[in-house]
Amino acid sequence: LFFGTPTSSGSKSSFFSDPASRRMYKANARALLTRVNAYSGVMYKDDPTIFAWELMNEPRCRGCGGALQGWIEEMAAYVKSIDSNHLLSTGEEGFYASDGSSRSSATRVNPEVW
């Protein structure tokens, strides 16, 4: 659950649009990707035993598809700039819908209709 940062509006899409939240996410991602495995001595970003990274587990946010899509694009580029060796997933469950309620427009941004 995200309650916001001092600069965020506290809306549902704040996590995806707030600059402080984005900085904190990137700092956490960098710490994880550059962490050295205590047993193998290999950085996670270089570890061949890791299959893929997930940006977020099931990023559901009704009505904030544009903010979520922008966040996905920015964070995916950031993670891939540090680790180009591993696959990367958005973490969403396969639903990719517009902010509208029509399933026919379900190819624009993520997510809306389950």
Side-chain angles (χ1 to χ4, degrees), residues 8-95:
S8 73
S9 67
S11 70
K12 292 189 304 183
S13 64
S14 288
F15 176 80
F16 302 109
S17 59
D18 180 62
S21 296
R22 287 177 180 233
R23 279 192 306 276
M24 288 185 277
Y25 182 91
K26 287 178 179 180
N28 189 54
R30 177 173 289 284
L32 176 69
L33 295 168
T34 59
R35 182 182 189 280
V36 175
N37 183 312
Y39 297 101
S40 69
V42 177
M43 265 194 227
Y44 283 10
K45 71 182 188 88
D46 299 321
D47 194 330
T49 64
I50 295 173
F51 175 72
W53 301 113
E54 184 176 81
L55 291 177
M56 179 180 281
N57 184 45
E58 300 175 5
R60 295 180 181 175
C61 186
R62 286 188 185 265
C64 55
L68 175 55
Q69 182 63 31
W71 182 88
I72 288 171
E73 291 172 10
E74 180 180 340
M75 297 311 150
Y78 182 76
V79 168
K80 291 305 274 184
S81 76
I82 298 170
D83 179 358
S84 60
N85 296 319
H86 292 95
L87 295 174
L88 182 63
S89 165
T90 62
E92 53 91 22
E93 302 115 301
F95 310 114

